[in-house]
Amino acid sequence: QEQLVESGGGTVQAGGSLRLSCAASEYTYSSVCMGWFRQAPGKGREGLATIDSDGDTRYAESVKGRFTISKDNAKNTLYLQMNSLKPDDTAMYYCAADSVRCHGVFFMILRQNGRVNYEGKGTQVTVSS
């Protein structure tokens, strides 16, 4: 059984919006931390946003003010609302969760190309100019 399943990717013009969804198993959704990261071809992993069990959020500087992370507890679903998209946002986007580590540590693990406890298979986002 897959723990995290992303959807909502696609192709959009620069300046447009997309909303990514991540359906989680009940067990995975109860993780301390859930978040999103992306990876473009030839580049490393980039943590984008995290949300902890208290609802506190953190964002990478590259997406702050444009992306919003949220959760729907009734649906065990994580979202990433992406506005004002740029061609540089083109990448595979992944949902992730960790039972212990969050925010700065979560981002650091991804920056070092490490893995957190649970990672989805990704959904492609392409932004055309």
Side-chain angles (χ1 to χ4, degrees), residues 78-127:
L78 181 73
Y79 299 102
L80 186 68
Q81 177 66 43
M82 305 186 296
N83 298 329
S84 302
L85 283 162
K86 308 172 184 179
D88 284 349
D89 293 319
T90 295
M92 186 71 81
Y93 283 68
Y94 299 87
C95 174
D98 199 279
S99 56
V100 177
R101 302 163 293 186
C102 206
H103 303 319
V105 177
F106 195 97
F107 287 168
M108 181 184 69
I109 291 168
L110 295 169
R111 191 163 56 244
Q112 295 175 345
N113 279 332
R115 295 182 63 87
V116 294
N117 290 161
Y118 306 100
E119 299 181 1
K121 293 184 177 180
T123 185
Q124 178 68 37
V125 172
T126 302
V127 184

Side-chain angles (χ1 to χ4, degrees), residues 37-68:
F37 69 94
R38 68 187 178 190
Q39 187 165 21
K43 295 189 176 181
R45 296 175 151 205
E46 180 187 12
L48 301 175
T50 51
I51 184 167
D52 66 22
S53 53
D54 292 329
D56 291 335
T57 59
R58 296 288 188 278
Y59 294 93
E61 286 299 322
S62 60
V63 303
K64 195 175 291 185
R66 299 190 299 125
F67 291 11
T68 303

